[in-house]
Amino acid sequence: MTSIDVHALTKEYGGRRAVDQLTFTVRPGRVTGFLGPNGAGKSTTMRLVLGLDRPTSGSATIGGRPYATLREPLRHVGALLDAEAAHGSRTGRDHLRALAVSNRIPQRRADEVLEETGLALVARRRVKTYSLGMRRRLGMAAALLGDPEVVMLDEPSNGLDPEGIVWIRGLLRRLAGEGRTILVSSHLMNETASFADHLVVLGRGRLLADTPMREFIDARVRPRVRIRTTDATGLRTVLGRHGYDAVEHEEGHWSVDHARVDDIGRLASGAGVPILELAAEEGTLEQAYLELTGSEAEYTAQRQEA
Amino acid sequence: MEFTPVLHSEWLKIRTLRSLVAGLCAVPAAVVLFSALAGLDSDGPDFDPLFSVFFGVSFGQIAAIAFATSAVAAEFRGGALRATLAAVPRRGRWFAAKAVAIAVPVLVVGLVTGGVALAVGTAALGTEADGLTVGEELRGAVGCALYLTLMALLAAGLTAVLRSGVATLSILIPFLLIVSFVIGDMSGSVADVLPDRAGQMILHDTGEGLLGPWSGLAVTALWAGVALGAGAWSVRRRDA
């Protein structure tokens, strides 16, 4: 199986560090979300992995080999970087055929990926007539052309319509399920939360987190239970007795911090408190991310003062 | 990576852009048209029948240069070069394939152009062309093809250095149309070793100045080689 290994990777542009001593591994069989604000170094890292930019120091390898040494790289790695990569005056099909030929990929693959990305009907139209979403799909088609075991996508849902976003989500899940290595950058939290298993988070070119998504959220956002009852006094008493602090909200429901539904449900039922609604309010990726970047900002601010 | 698939890919990229195919077709059109016009006006003391037959090459080269420039410049638009180099990470090999994919069609079109220009140009000259030997005529026709190819390669190399078609054409076209025409009459000077002046010696009947037909073409080849070398260096060294 093929992993992407980034080791102590650093890239400077005129003294400014776009990527700073970055080390992480993207493993097969799961979707790794690559998060960070714009300018955090996500795209630069992807270009470095693809050998398009030269690192100042450090290394990036795919299956242990630098990208530039792969014999027919499209058969191993598929990447979506820019939506504008295809020449406007060429047809979508010809764009894919030219890429396929260079890596000795059979021509029928061009038609297959056009079908798969929903572009079969416009395959023989010039790219300049395509919408932004269709260009993204053509970029996806190019990435899938060589049936690669590693797929790297930079902001794939940019410009896609809702249907396209759902399609990307399903596609990423399927590719990971087939045991491929998937790295998807995004600055959209809810979007990433819908497909990622694992997260690599960057801030100002540095690694902030490299953890499974669930752990990332649970470690930063306290779990909370939402509850509605007809017996407010009874609920407060039984929860208070077990050390929980219930807060009443204006809409008539209660929320209990640091609690799990299993525990609260059992307690309420044991005390005979009638329950109308009981739900876990899971932390969102967005909350966890803001928590992380918030503390990161404080950290850097303090360091500068000192 | 093997060279042949990369070359095939680059040829496919040229073939599938209508503007490039049109640029290639403009080469014989311009050469033949202007050669025919030149043949109708054959007076003057320093009349050179061979150069009259291939007079249109000065105009046809603009089309050849525009073709080569657009073919390379297309890679520097948007993220095209990234997609290309992700598919072919051996950059030197890729650039070599690009150069061959430009040179071969220009050479083929140039040979056809040379043949047609020869037929049309001598017909337009009528009896004035009688002084030309078969050897001179062949040298002119083949030289026309080689000269156009070298100028196209010069433009291709320069475009890779400048990473812009507009920049390349705004240097080359004024250079060919103005500089060369203005100082072109001053033979025996540095003007003789300019790429276009030197190479066009192959199209002249009477050699004057320090370069002969083939040595002149060799000087143009040197210019093209330097441009290609600089282009390859730039492609290999810089971030895509």
Side-chain angles (χ1 to χ4, degrees), chain A residues 11 52 54 67 71 90 98, chain B residues 9 13 86 91 236 239:
Chain A
K11 176 69 179 178
L52 296 172
R54 234 168 272 267
Y67 186 86
R71 258 181 74 80
R90 204 173 273 130
Chain B
S9 168
K13 281 192 207 168
R91 298 184 182 195
R236 291 183 63 163
D239 286 343

Side-chain angles (χ1 to χ4, degrees), chain A residues 88-164:
Chain A
S89 301
R90 204 173 273 130
T91 68
R93 187 166 176 271
D94 284 338
H95 171 69
L96 295 176
R97 281 174 65 215
L99 287 174
V101 159
S102 67
N103 279 240
R104 295 195 303 178
I105 295 164
Q107 297 279 295
R108 62 174 163 77
R109 277 297 294 163
D111 295 315
E112 284 171 16
V113 291
L114 283 164
E115 189 71 46
E116 192 177 346
T117 52
L119 292 174
L121 287 175
V122 295
R124 286 163 202 272
R125 267 170 50 187
R126 299 215 236 170
V127 173
K128 67 175 136 199
T129 66
Y130 286 17
S131 67
L132 182 58
M134 286 154 86
R135 286 175 205 218
R136 281 274 140 187
R137 283 170 183 266
L138 183 62
M140 287 296 300
L144 299 175
L145 193 60
D147 196 18
E149 63 257 44
V150 176
V151 177
M152 292 203 318
L153 308 172
D154 196 5
E155 306 274 354
S157 41
N158 252 8
L160 281 184
D161 50 17
E163 193 193 338

Side-chain angles (χ1 to χ4, degrees), chain A residues 176-257:
Chain A
E178 290 165 358
R180 299 178 211 249
T181 307
I182 317 290
L183 181 65
V184 186
S185 85
S186 180
H187 61 274
L188 302 173
M189 298 303 142
N190 293 338
E191 180 54 31
T192 306
S194 69
F195 54 66
D197 307 299
H198 195 89
L199 294 176
V200 170
V201 186
L202 294 194
R204 301 175 191 205
R206 282 183 298 147
L207 186 71
L208 298 185
D210 178 5
T211 48
M213 184 168 76
R214 203 59 255 168
E215 271 178 35
F216 179 81
I217 297 172
D218 290 346
R220 284 170 187 82
V221 184
R222 45 193 185 177
R224 203 176 190 199
V225 169
R226 174 194 168 97
I227 189 166
R228 211 148 59 81
T229 178
T230 48
D231 180 6
T233 332
L235 180 71
R236 192 198 293 274
T237 315
V238 66
L239 290 181
R241 204 184 310 136
H242 289 86
Y244 289 105
D245 188 21
V247 181
E248 187 174 11
H249 292 264
E250 279 179 23
E251 310 91 61
H253 74 267
W254 297 70
S255 63
V256 191
D257 282 346

